[in-house]
Amino acid sequence: MKTGQIQIDFNEHFDFTAPVNFKTEIIHKENNAESQSIFEVNKDRFSRQCQIVYDALMRGERLTTTIALVEYEVGDLRRRIKDLKDMWNIPIQSELIKGKYKEYYINLKPN
């Protein structure tokens, strides 16, 4: 069954030391024309926000939507996390804290 999601091979090694440049050409299709035009107009800003989020996670930070908004001016952390996962295959994990909110992180020392 096709789900439209990217299949990830978790046995594949991810090189955390290699720099990721989110300013490369993004091939991305939204589900309607209006959303696609909004994406096209804001693509550079989204890419910049992805870079900000990625850099913070690679420093070992655990991000919440509040931290992302206040410290990094990233208004929709959940969307940037989804972009990083879907478009760049970044293995971001999350943990529900006290049943109230999620912290996003990258396990920099996997077993």
Side-chain angles (χ1 to χ4, degrees), residues 41-95:
V41 168
N42 292 291
K43 182 169 37 174
D44 290 338
R45 190 168 130 280
F46 294 157
S47 295
R48 181 183 59 78
Q49 288 186 354
C50 282
Q51 187 73 57
I52 290 168
V53 170
Y54 176 78
D55 291 344
L57 294 172
M58 290 304 294
R59 287 191 300 270
E61 294 182 38
R62 293 176 69 103
L63 297 179
T64 64
T65 54
T66 303
I67 290 170
L69 180 60
V70 173
E71 293 185 19
Y72 298 109
E73 298 180 355
V74 173
D76 192 353
L77 176 64
R78 294 171 301 173
R79 181 63 219 196
R80 300 295 73 83
I81 294 293
K82 182 168 177 21
D83 290 345
L84 289 169
K85 286 179 170 183
D86 292 352
M87 290 191 274
W88 303 100
N89 294 323
I90 306 296
I92 299 171
Q93 298 173 324
S94 64
E95 181 179 344

Side-chain angles (χ1 to χ4, degrees), residues 1 6-7 10-11 26 30 37 39 46-47 49 58-60 80 89 91-92 105 110:
M1 177 172 105
I6 297 172
Q7 295 296 322
F10 289 100
N11 294 318
I26 297 172
E30 289 289 327
S37 66
F39 174 80
F46 294 157
S47 295
Q49 288 186 354
M58 290 304 294
R59 287 191 300 270
R80 300 295 73 83
N89 294 323
I92 299 171
Y105 63 96

